[in-house]
Each structure stands twice: as C-alpha cells, then as structure tokens.
Amino acid sequence: MYYCYLFEAKSIQDYLFQSNKLKDVIAASERLDRLIDSTKDSVLDQVLKAAELESDLLNRDVNTEHTIHFLRCKGGAFYAYCQQQAPLVSLRSAWTLTLSQLFPSLIYTDALSEAPSLKVALDKAMAGLNAARNTPQVNFPLSSTLIERYSRTGNGVVPLSSLAQRACVKDEFKNDSALDIDTELHRQAYQAFDMRETAALQDRFTPENRQGAIRYPIDFEKEFAFSGPQLKRKHQREAIKDMALIHIDGNGLGILLRQLKSALKDQSDTVYCQAFRDFSEALNKATVAAARIATEQVYQHVIAENDFYEACITLPMRPIVLGGDDVTLFCRADLALDYATTFCCAFKQESERALVDVFKRYLSDSGLFPYITASGGILYHKAGHPFSHSHHLVEALCDKAKVLTKSVYGTQSNKVGPAALAFYRVSNATQSDLSQLLTQAQTFSVGEDQRLTVGQSSYFVEPLSTTEADKVKDGRFLQQLRDLMPQEGSVTPVSMAKWRQMMTAIAQHDLDEAKRIYHRAIELCLDADAIATFKSALQQLVPKDALCHEDWYWQLTGGEDGKMKGYQSFINDVLIVHHFEPALLTNNVKGDTPCSHK
C-alpha cells in the first residue's frame, strides 16, 4: 500500500503584503523562503528531524519502507509518499502544528490519501488537494470584537516579545507599539536574522561572482535610488519616485507535468519519484539562473550610469519571491521592462539547459518544446503606493500576459506559447480590478456609440517564429513600440509630444483633432524615407486582417455576428514605454542579453 501527503501554501502574495510595510514584506518573504527546501536549513528538514522521521530530503539514496520520499519540495509546496501510513500521519501532525506556530494566518491546503499503487495514490491526493482549495477555511487566530486590533492588518494585537521590541526601537518601527501575531513574528525574524545585511532569498537573485558586492535596499525612502545621476538637483530626484512591481510566472508547467506523468505511467515507483524530483530541482535551478542574469543587467546599468566602481553597490531593486517558476520583486521604474524581458529570455534558455536530462530520459518522444517560457506583469506606481493595492493588479497583469501567450497554440495544445509581458501605470490607490481600471483609464467615447481603447497592455517579449506568426492574427511584440520612439541620429515623423497631444484630444473625445495632429506631423516631415520606415513600423502593430481607419488605430470586431465592437490603438502603451525608458548612456556596456532582438 502507498500513502501520499501533499501540501501547498496558498495566497502567498496576500500574506506577504498584508502589513503594507517593506521591512515586514522582506522578513515574511525571507521566512517563507526558508520554509520548504531540500536543504538542512529549511523548516521542513527541521520538522522531519524533530519528529525523528526518516526521509530522502537531503540524501536521495535512503530507501526503506518507512522512508518518506519527496517528489517535490520547492516553492511553498511539497509532495511526499511512503509505504507506511504512520510516518506521513506524524509528518502531517508535526508540520501543521509548526505552521500554526510560525505562520498563524497563512492559508494552506493539504491532503492525505492511500492506494495500492503510487500513481493512484498521487491522483487521489491531488483530487483531495483540489477539493481543499474550494473548501472554506476558518482563519486562526480568531479576533473577537473585544480584542484590540493592529491598524495595518485588522488582526488582533499580541504582546511584543523581547526580539520584536528591539526591532521596534529602530527608527523604521518606532511608531509601532502593538502588532498582530504574524507581524510580531516577522519583526522577531528581522531582528534575529539581521536582515539589514544578510538574507538567503536575496543571495539567490545575486550572481555568484557578485556575492558580497551587491546589496538590496530595505528602505525605499532612504536607500532606493529612484533616478540616476543625470538628474543633478535634489528637487528633480525627489519628484521622480517611480518604481515598478514585477511578477513573472512560468508557462506550460501543467502541460509538461501531464506529459511527464503520462510518459512514466509504466515506470517503477522509484523512477517515477526520481523524475518528478529531478524536474522540481531543474525548474528551480532555471529560475535562479534567469533571476541572476537579469540582476547582472541591472548591476551593469548602475555601474555604467554612475561611472564608478565600489566594493559594494546597493541596486535599485528588492527581491520579494523566488520559488519554483515564480518571481516577484520591486525595481526602479526605468529598469523594470529590461529586467523582465531579460528574465523571460534567460528563463527560456536556462530551462532548456536545466531540463535537458529530463527530456532525454523521459520525454524524448513527447513532441514538446524542450523548454518552458515565462510571462509576467509590470505595475508602475509611485513609491508611496500601498503594497496591498499593488499585488492583486500585478497578478492580474500576469494573467493578461498569459492570455496572449495561450493565444498562439490555444489552451488544449501541448505546445508552450512564447513569453509575454503586460504593463500598466497606476496613479492612485484603488481596489478596482484590472479590467475596470483599463476601461476607465484607456477607453474613450469618440462618436455616437463608438469607443476607442488606447492601449493593448500585453505584448510578446520577442518576435514570433514563422510557424507561431501563422497561428495568430496579432503578433505584436515590445520592440515594435520602441521602433516608434525617437532614435539618436534619426528623424521621427511623429514625436512623443505629438502622441501625447493626440492622447489628450482622444481623452477629450475629439478624434478628429487627434487625426489632424497626426497628419500635420506627417506633412511637416520632409524625409520620405523616415516616413516610409515609420509607417512600416506602424503596420507591424496592426493585427492581420484588421480594418484600419488610420495608420494608428483599427476597428475591432467580435462575437458570432462579427459586428463592430469599437476601435483599438496602442498610443498609451508607447507613451508608457517611452516614459520609463532608461536614459541613453554612451558609456553603458551592458554585455550580451539573452534577448536576441535587443
């Protein structure tokens, strides 16, 4: 008989950002990073040792009927099985007790199953896990109306421990006299682990040859460089406090796991376990490698930007999450798009490199691409924007990018779509969802019963291959937006100032004025070659078979009746990308980037 125990932490982003204070976010992310891993420093390993349970977490050669075998132990989740029930029951009891003590309000799901074979037991456990996701849970600890509440989270306050008291003495915490239990535990960790200087999570973002040479800010007001040295005056630097929250998630993980499961259906349980464990380790390796490559890009930019070299440099970015195929971080606004595109391109290459053995051994005849891709969202906002209002929007942007990714091969295909990114600029705190914001901010009435949407938000990271381009009507990618921007030493018929004037006219519901501004700009340009190049770039952004009323907007149709659904353009997208484009640096030597088109 085989027994399976599956565990997954849920709503991690909500948990991380609940206090809306950066140092609590840092402490929570570092603590969660140490929760589940195949290392001796992880909480999972400490629980196994405390419960005196035998496992292959650290030594995969251990194999007895009482050994707990792990198929996955990364990214806030672990899947385990054993040929005896008692070890898994003990693990479940000890693990959930530990979790309730270390992370009291963290939401999680778990399931325990049994079956004559490992594969059937795992299927039953997965079904139980899915059922648990849809089962309402009571969050502990409960707070009655008579309990004082912590103003930032609304949860009941608890007395401060000595460690938390010492952390609260610091300038950044001096106004906090009472905390809820989770925040109190974060403050303890912040003090005990000395997170001002060292942290395990940030080391995984740091290139190996830069360990000790890179620091990350813990205070956005005092340590985060929002602008480069090109702005000399203090009031200029103070005015530009834009930053970005980036969230990137892998594509095609479910497809690959289904194919792997199918390929292993006739294999032994040992091979089955080894294959999934190898896949989990390889995926984590690819994510870490891609994050380090993207961080190196930021490092090189800062070095070139400041034209100096110091033994230790504080980068304008702050790692938040790195687990499995999931990455979340804050980044200086003008560097965010380059970071995200570099990560996506590197992730494709690194996943192919890390998964080569998995494909060679188990998926050689699967017909799958030998890699997976990643898509994500970038939310631009001011430094003071509440974190609690940011993470749900950046996750929605990530979902929007994934919709574009899936448009290439569809949801029923076993092909992984290309990487895509979606971005949006928010100017005020809001609890509205992304679709409402896009409707309110980017859709304008331009005539009787006609509306013009001035942005598409999501774009492919790289140009599509010929095969991929044949499958979609809209193959837009980021470089096409940059092709419309002024280039050094070249003429651009429609300047960014003209695009902004057109945007203002559209916002005032005057489409005719926007057309006049555009045509006047084209008429005033005396360079015929520049006009031809510019219009060619415009055509690249228009979907196939779209009915164009002008070079810069087109008609939308949809539904079974094929009736007109309004107009679409890209003006807001090009304005956002241009606004947050990094300064042109003549001495900037960034090095090679995985994105071939850059």
Side-chain angles (χ1 to χ4, degrees), residues 248-269:
I248 304 176
D249 195 19
N251 302 315
L253 189 59
I255 294 173
L256 206 158
L257 287 174
R258 286 194 297 271
Q259 291 292 324
L260 185 59
K261 185 178 177 181
S262 175
L264 295 169
K265 62 182 180 180
D266 297 326
Q267 298 292 331
S268 67
D269 294 336

Side-chain angles (χ1 to χ4, degrees), residues 276-296:
F276 277 94
R277 182 76 175 272
D278 288 343
F279 174 77
S280 177
E281 299 284 350
L283 182 63
N284 184 74
K285 181 180 178 182
T287 307
V288 171
R292 287 176 170 174
I293 291 171
T295 302
E296 176 68 18

Side-chain angles (χ1 to χ4, degrees), residues 72 74-75 204 280 283-285 287-288 322-326 347:
R72 175 188 179 187
K74 297 283 185 183
R204 292 199 285 149
S280 177
L283 182 63
N284 184 74
K285 181 180 178 182
T287 307
V288 171
L322 195 161
D325 60 341
D326 189 359
F347 183 78

Side-chain angles (χ1 to χ4, degrees), residues 357-430:
D357 289 338
V358 174
F359 274 91
K360 185 181 297 184
R361 294 178 185 177
Y362 315 113
L363 297 172
S364 57
D365 299 324
S366 64
L368 296 174
F369 293 138
Y371 56 80
I372 56 177
T373 60
S375 296
I378 305 173
L379 182 71
Y380 296 102
H381 57 85
K382 292 295 182 182
H385 191 80
F387 299 153
S388 58
H389 297 168
S390 299
H391 72 85
H392 75 283
L393 288 177
V394 79
E395 288 179 339
L397 285 168
C398 183
D399 292 338
K400 186 175 181 65
K402 285 178 173 288
V403 170
L404 183 62
T405 294
K406 293 175 183 177
S407 69
V408 178
Y409 294 106
T411 57
Q412 303 302 317
S413 173
N414 66 345
K415 301 288 188 182
V416 178
L421 290 171
F423 50 86
Y424 180 72
R425 183 183 184 184
V426 63
S427 56
N428 57 348
T430 177

Side-chain angles (χ1 to χ4, degrees), residues 228-241:
Q230 63 271 17
L231 297 181
K232 302 297 183 182
R233 298 180 181 178
K234 182 178 180 181
H235 75 272
Q236 290 179 309
R237 295 194 298 271
E238 288 296 315
I240 301 178
K241 285 197 170 182

Side-chain angles (χ1 to χ4, degrees), residues 67-110:
T67 299
I68 297 175
H69 300 274
F70 286 91
L71 292 86
R72 175 188 179 187
C73 48
K74 297 283 185 183
F78 68 81
Y79 299 168
Y81 81 91
C82 185
Q83 291 177 286
Q84 296 293 323
Q85 186 179 33
L88 288 183
V89 172
S90 297
L91 173 60
R92 186 181 197 180
S93 300
W95 179 251
T96 52
L97 175 62
T98 302
L99 206 68
S100 67
Q101 293 173 330
L102 296 181
F103 303 91
S105 63
L106 179 66
I107 299 174
Y108 67 88
T109 57
D110 67 344

